[in-house]
Amino acid sequence: MTRDFDAIIIGSGPGGSTAADVLTAAGWSVVIFEKGRNHLIDLDDPHRLAGDFSNDEIKFMYRWFLGPDPLLEPRTFRRDEADGDRLRTGEVNNVPSTVGGGGTHADGKVPRFREEDFRLLSEWGPVDGATVADWPLSYDDLEPSYAEAERLIGVAGDAGANPFAAWRSGPYPMPPGAPMYGALLSSAAAEKLGWHPYPAPTACNSVPYDGRPACNNCGFCAFFGCPIHAKGDPVAPLRRALVSGRAELRPETFVSRILVENGLATGVEYVDRAGDVRTERAGHVVLAAGGVETPRLLLLSGFEHPMIGRNVMFHLQTYALGKMPVRVHGHKGRSVTHVHDDHMVPDADSLAAARAAGLPWFKGGMVEHAGPSHTIIEARFAPWGERHKDHMRRSEMREYLWGFCMQGEDLPQATNRVDLDPKVRDVRGFPALRVTYQSHRHEQVASDYYGAKLEECLTLAGAEWTLRATSPGTIDPVPVSRHVAGTVRMGTDRETSVCDAWGRLHDVPNVLVADSSLFPTGAGYGPTLTLVALAIRNTRALAGTPAGRATSPPGG
């Protein structure tokens, strides 16, 4: 068999770009397939970054600039089988499909998981109806890769500020950035309640770093690409891989099948931008298409492990918002500058509340101190008619509304899954992915318990009134959270896990998964830094290079 590359990488998001960086630094040749368009980097001169991003709400949020267009690439959703084949078709938790993947639209919070997040079953025990499991590695195993990930993408934070944080081998590469005014008010109230707010660890430059400028606090972080590339999205590792001369990036190419012969992957079949079906050969395949597209591709390829697509996890997001007596202009700044972890750690009161609700325990999640919106979103919610202009001038949503978003830990359930829709197809003719999902009582009870406390904190901060909502739940049955994990979980038992402890498929060991599909549990933190750390650890093992050092120093 003739092969042109040492590895094919499917997906150019945080996991795929990191894998490309590690493998090219080890001397491997790689080709990166990305089904979305390229708005991130000049492929003729990878030293140059593209200028396609802008502070334009309509372009990013309503015209699918980062893709995918749900009319061309629909997904379907149902809560359970009682809903029939589907409850909805179209936009179902679409993470950007573009060079850089979900990293381009994120607001950049990149916390590490805590030690107990890797041993949830051993630490707290089983929960009826949930498939809680320990990870096949510990925090100590991953810590060197966490440190390397923070250096590679550039993370700003205060290493000693969070009393609940796991141990770390060194400081953050950059100090925290400027706080948002609203966060100062909510943090002061939180401290009066005995909580411990701290500067959020963010992949957003507080000083010039790795040839990119410091953040200018424009406020367009979440859902937008950074116009000045101050955000630590996958541009840094992807650029290093391309500059090495050992990586090729192919945007607008859809991988439709992983080719397997005699128990090993030999390459992929893909549809190029002209619509032609082609094949590419390589010695290894790195699958980094994301928490729902990765299992979809495995199913399209005919893989039959019964756990593929099972245990999909999102975060149950609890929003507590309040009308503040002064302008807090929550639309300005870095979207989230302060968080607290107090609601991630069960205590005597929460354990008593759990038992009263018929649960052995529950956990909340990291709580973000944040404002809700920009101008166009506010205009859409303000009443129409002659009073519309008055509402916009007062700007009660943008200027006065402030609150919290708790990223509630979502327990895995085998009934929550991703599979192929039996009838709906995408523009290329392939079956659309279908999400079947409903929250466990664990999340709902935790949301009610901690949501009331968050409203109390806002009242203490001076809010004139408060309200509470959840997603999924009061907002929509489809989860809004783009934190997706668990669909190709790793473990030591081939019956209950799809991948081994190094991210390799049990059934096809030269296919390595490098995204959050691997996670056995989701924790109450965003998945990005952890999936990047796993990609570093696992691709270093694949390439036979030592862990614990950067592939290239900042600016290198």
Side-chain angles (χ1 to χ4, degrees):
M1 179 188 73
T2 301
R3 67 189 192 203
D4 295 326
F5 299 93
D6 294 312
I8 290 169
I9 299 173
I10 304 168
S12 64
S17 293
T18 299
D21 190 14
V22 172
L23 293 177
T24 54
W28 285 38
S29 63
V30 304
V31 57
I32 307 159
F33 287 97
E34 169 56 58
K35 73 184 178 77
R37 296 172 298 188
N38 175 33
H39 299 292
L40 190 63
I41 196 164
D42 186 337
L43 297 185
D44 293 325
D45 180 6
H47 291 92
R48 296 177 55 193
L49 302 180
D52 294 359
F53 297 152
S54 60
N55 295 353
D56 185 335
E57 286 182 76
I58 294 176
K59 167 180 165 181
F60 280 89
M61 302 189 72
Y62 303 107
R63 291 180 177 167
W64 313 107
F65 179 72
L66 294 178
D69 185 329
L71 294 177
L72 301 177
E73 298 185 72
R75 295 177 175 178
T76 64
F77 175 84
R78 60 181 182 174
R79 292 164 299 194
D80 53 35
E81 292 183 358
D83 286 330
D85 284 345
R86 69 200 62 81
L87 185 66
R88 179 177 304 174
T89 301
E91 203 286 323
V92 176
N93 206 276
N94 285 341
V95 175
S97 176
T98 186
V99 171
T104 59
H105 89 138
D107 59 14
K109 298 178 300 297
V110 284
R112 299 183 179 194
F113 284 12
R114 301 171 63 242
E115 289 99 334
E116 71 173 35
D117 292 323
F118 295 87
R119 54 175 192 265
L120 192 62
L121 180 60
S122 297
E123 191 80 15
W124 292 104
V127 177
D128 286 345
T131 52
V132 179
D134 290 341
W135 290 45
L137 70 157
S138 68
Y139 174 84
D140 290 1
D141 294 329
L142 199 57
E143 200 284 335
S145 298
Y146 267 136
E148 184 173 347
E150 289 170 345
R151 292 192 299 270
L152 292 181
I153 65 177
V155 179
D158 183 346
N162 177 15
F164 302 107
W167 71 271
R168 50 186 301 125
S169 55
Y172 286 100
M174 288 177 278
M180 298 171 75
Y181 176 56
L184 297 178
L185 301 180
S186 55
S187 291
E191 288 172 348
K192 291 179 182 178
L193 292 172
W195 302 345
H196 302 82
Y198 65 96
T202 54
C204 187
N205 292 354
S206 60
V207 296
Y209 188 86
D210 198 11
R212 295 176 289 113
C215 172
N216 60 10
N217 296 298
C218 71
F220 286 80
C221 286
F223 304 108
F224 302 90
C226 181
I228 63 173
H229 297 287
K231 191 160 60 176
D233 56 30
V235 67
L238 183 58
R239 181 169 58 176
R240 280 192 293 271
L242 294 173
V243 167
S244 75
R246 290 184 285 273
E248 178 184 332
L249 174 62
R250 298 182 189 173
E252 300 177 71
T253 53
F254 175 75
V255 176
S256 57
R257 187 158 61 104
I258 298 173
L259 304 172
V260 178
E261 296 177 11
N262 300 319
L264 292 175
T266 59
V268 299
E269 184 175 275
Y270 67 96
V271 182
D272 67 17
R273 69 176 68 190
D276 296 324
V277 178
R278 302 182 181 277
T279 59
E280 189 67 72
R281 301 281 178 172
H284 294 81
V285 173
V286 177
L287 182 48
V292 292
E293 291 289 347
T294 281
R296 180 195 182 200
L297 177 55
L298 291 174
L299 294 171
L300 287 174
S301 302
F303 288 75
E304 296 180 344
H305 194 292
M307 296 304 294
I308 292 174
R310 298 282 183 179
N311 301 303
V312 63
M313 294 173 285
F314 302 89
H315 281 140
L316 191 145
Q317 295 181 320
T318 301
Y319 302 92
L321 299 170
K323 165 71 182 308
M324 304 303 289
V326 297
R327 289 179 179 266
V328 292
H329 39 261
H331 59 290
K332 297 179 180 179
R334 302 182 182 207
S335 295
V336 176
T337 61
H338 281 71
V339 296
H340 66 263
D341 289 3
D342 299 75
H343 307 332
M344 301 182 69
V345 184
D347 57 18
D349 290 341
S350 71
L351 289 172
R355 288 190 290 270
L359 293 166
W361 52 270
F362 61 70
K363 297 177 70 178
M366 184 179 77
V367 177
E368 305 168 4
H369 298 221
S373 72
H374 289 288
T375 306
I376 302 301
I377 291 181
E378 182 178 38
R380 294 185 70 208
F381 281 93
W384 289 104
E386 61 184 23
R387 298 173 55 210
H388 183 78
K389 291 182 180 179
D390 291 336
H391 278 278
M392 291 301 293
R393 290 188 186 101
R394 289 200 302 271
S395 190
E396 293 186 355
M397 181 180 289
R398 268 191 317 132
E399 291 287 357
Y400 289 93
L401 208 57
W402 187 258
F404 302 108
C405 173
M406 184 176 74
Q407 305 287 349
E409 177 153 2
D410 181 7
L411 296 189
Q413 302 175 70
T415 52
N416 286 344
R417 64 182 302 193
V418 173
D419 65 358
L420 302 179
D421 191 281
K423 293 183 179 178
V424 178
R425 293 182 174 261
D426 66 17
V427 68
R428 304 177 188 89
F430 294 100
L433 69 84
R434 176 174 62 182
V435 176
T436 302
Y437 177 85
Q438 193 156 227
S439 298
H440 192 282
R441 283 191 65 249
H442 164 275
E443 290 89 79
Q444 298 163 3
V445 171
S447 175
D448 289 342
Y449 179 81
Y450 289 118
K453 293 181 179 294
L454 295 175
E455 286 192 271
E456 176 189 357
C457 185
L458 287 171
T459 300
L460 185 60
E464 297 173 4
W465 49 259
T466 64
L467 59 86
R468 197 190 324 164
T470 64
S471 172
T474 56
I475 297 175
D476 195 322
V478 177
V480 173
S481 170
R482 265 49 177 178
H483 301 160
V484 190
T487 49
V488 189
R489 63 161 53 177
M490 59 181 176
T492 55
D493 185 344
R494 298 173 68 98
E495 299 298 318
T496 59
S497 61
V498 182
C499 297
D500 68 11
W502 297 93
R504 300 170 299 195
L505 293 185
H506 288 306
D507 297 336
V508 185
N510 67 334
V511 174
L512 183 144
V513 176
D515 58 37
S516 55
S517 303
L518 291 172
F519 294 11
T521 53
Y525 291 119
T528 302
L529 191 73
T530 299
L531 77 86
V532 170
L534 282 174
I536 290 171
R537 170 186 180 267
N538 295 346
T539 51
R540 281 201 179 285
L542 178 66
T545 54
R549 62 175 179 83
T551 56
S552 176

